């Protein structure tokens, strides 16, 4: 086995950058009827599950700040992403094993709903209404949950391999 | 054997000779079906000719048509003059810059565009962005080479607008859908679907009399004042180039 070309932090950084570009471009061929999955959930979940609560929370904080900078209307995703990182990090221990890949789907579903719920709450506090976005949030949660078993389980393998190679 | 006997009976020449009228009828029905009932309709026209509407009515219809055409022409003439005046006004108002849309997020909790031109090209915070058809929104932030546009449909967008002919003042409020809501300020306002919505002269954020969109549906039961859904004139999802007022 040769050296892996990237360390896990390099891989994290590059994939995070790709995630930002993806959320900017939001290409039509990655959407289902105008709805795109919550890419940030699909990105954060496998990392946190492999690396643990602290790394998950830090990654959630970092990507949250970057996403906020791209979203001009002053809403923030940081608190909820940090909490999601902490929560998903709990699954690193063998006491709470990820039994099946459907668990990943369920976690992604809840993560996507919580993320959109936090946006809704902030808009509600600001006295603005975006009622139609709820419908889209539900569609997005379902789409994310559908993709999670496929994408996240591959990414879990990816991060696990890197994590073992470089030692924790 | 039995099958052969049955077949022979079916194709018996004698029985064919006996039943030939039925075969002709079948053929005729098929032809009528193929010709989409041409024979039937022609026959109906022939039979009903004595009962057709008289010439007096057709003359009356023709006159009404003529009158309608005249009205349409004068209406269009008026609109053309108005449009000419509007466009002349807009051309005078300032220096427009054309910019490409490099990112479009028009779903979910925010509605924004990124433009491929920024402060180096002279764009600044608050500049008005229009597309073919009408106003899209305002620039919310600029970098040296990009600018972020908050669309009229964004939940944070509030714009003072007026109906064409200054018949009603209102506030256009984004709701995260493709159609913002027009909340009228007056209780008794004459509005109906199809009315053109313009930026208000009272608005300090936008130049006056830019076309925003068209009233789609009216809810006159809303409290405290009626409101309406507005279809934007500029199709956000299809626009690749926009114009920005420098």
């Amino acid at each position: 086995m040769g050296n892996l070309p990237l360390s896990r932090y390099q891989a994290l950084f590059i994939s995070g950058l790709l995630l930002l570009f993806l959320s900017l471009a939001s290409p039509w061929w990655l959407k289902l009827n105008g709805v795109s999955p919550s890419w940030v959930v699909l990105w954060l979940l496998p990392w946190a599950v492999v690396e643990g609560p602290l790394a998950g929370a830090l990654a959630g904080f970092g990507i949250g700040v970057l996403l906020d900078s791209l979203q001009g209307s002053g809403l923030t995703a940081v608190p909820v992403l940090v909490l999601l990182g902490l929560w998903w990090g709990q699954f690193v221990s063998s006491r709470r094993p990820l039994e099946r890949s459907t668990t990943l789907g369920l976690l992604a579903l809840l993560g996507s709903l919580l993320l959109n719920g936090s946006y809704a709450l902030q808009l509600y506090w600001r006295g603005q209404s975006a009622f139609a976005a709820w419908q889209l949030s539900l569609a997005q949660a379902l789409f994310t949950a559908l993709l999670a078993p496929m994408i996240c389980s591959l990414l879990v393998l990816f991060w696990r391999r890197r994590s073992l190679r470089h030692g924790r | 054997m039995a099958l052969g006997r049955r077949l022979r009976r079916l194709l018996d020449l004698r029985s064919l000779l006996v039943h030939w009228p039925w075969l002709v009828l079948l053929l005729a029905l098929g032809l009528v079906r193929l010709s989409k009932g041409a024979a039937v309709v022609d026959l109906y026209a022939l039979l009903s000719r004595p009962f057709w509407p008289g010439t007096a009515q057709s003359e009356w219809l023709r006159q009404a048509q003529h009158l309608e055409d005249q009205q349409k022409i004068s209406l269009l003439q008026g609109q053309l003059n108005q449009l000419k005046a509007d466009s002349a006004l807009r051309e005078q108002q300032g220096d427009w810059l054309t910019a490409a849309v490099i990112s479009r997020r028009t779903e979910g909790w925010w509605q924004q565009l990124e433009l491929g031109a920024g402060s180096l090209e002279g764009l600044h915070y608050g500049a008005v962005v229009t597309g073919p058809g009408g106003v899209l929104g305002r620039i919310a932030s600029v970098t040296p080479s990009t600018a972020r546009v908050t669309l009229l449909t964004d939940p944070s967008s509030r714009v003072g607008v007026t109906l064409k002919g200054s018949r009603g003042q209102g506030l256009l409020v984004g709701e995260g859908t493709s159609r913002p809501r027009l909340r009228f300020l007056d209780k008794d306002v004459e509005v109906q679907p199809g009315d053109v919505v313009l930026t208000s002269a009272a608005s300090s954020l936008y130049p006056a009399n830019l076309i925003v969109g068209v009233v789609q549906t009216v809810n006159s039961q809303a409290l405290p004042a009626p409101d309406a859904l507005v279809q934007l004139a500029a199709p956000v999802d299809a626009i690749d180039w926009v114009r920005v007022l420098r």
Side-chain angles (χ1 to χ4, degrees), chain A residues 2-7 158 161-163 165-166:
Chain A
N3 277 331
L4 289 172
L6 294 172
S7 80
F158 177 82
R161 194 178 299 165
R162 240 141 266 262
S163 168
R165 174 138 296 272
H166 293 271

Side-chain angles (χ1 to χ4, degrees), chain A residues 49-115:
Chain A
V49 158
V50 172
E51 295 290 334
L54 186 63
L58 286 177
F61 178 80
I63 201 71
V65 169
L66 289 174
L67 278 180
D68 285 355
S69 71
L70 294 183
Q71 290 153 3
S73 48
L75 302 181
T76 176
V78 171
V80 75
L81 284 179
V82 169
L83 287 177
L84 285 178
L86 277 175
W87 175 38
W88 289 335
Q90 306 297 317
F91 289 87
V92 78
S93 69
S94 53
R95 281 185 295 116
R96 296 182 188 182
L98 277 171
E99 299 280 351
R100 296 191 173 80
S101 57
T102 45
T103 316
L104 285 173
L106 193 63
L107 292 180
L109 180 90
L110 291 174
S112 177
L113 280 178
L114 285 175
L115 181 61

Side-chain angles (χ1 to χ4, degrees), chain B residues 93-104:
Chain B
Q93 264 171 358
D95 179 14
W96 292 88
L97 176 98
T98 307
V101 175
I102 58 172
S103 165
R104 188 194 326 258

Side-chain angles (χ1 to χ4, degrees), chain A residues 73 75 119-131, chain B residues 109 154-158 173-175 183:
Chain A
S73 48
L75 302 181
Y119 287 138
L121 206 60
Q122 289 171 61
L123 278 183
Y124 177 72
W125 275 331
R126 281 166 32 168
Q128 297 165 356
S129 69
F131 216 67
Chain B
W109 304 102
D154 191 273
S156 66
S157 165
R158 302 274 186 281
V173 181
E175 295 196 320
R183 295 203 177 124

Side-chain angles (χ1 to χ4, degrees), chain B residues 133-135 152 161 172 197-199 210-214 230-234:
Chain B
V135 181
L152 293 177
V161 292
L172 194 70
V197 179
L198 307 171
T199 51
L210 293 175
I211 293 178
V212 173
V214 175
V230 175
Q231 175 72 51
L232 294 184

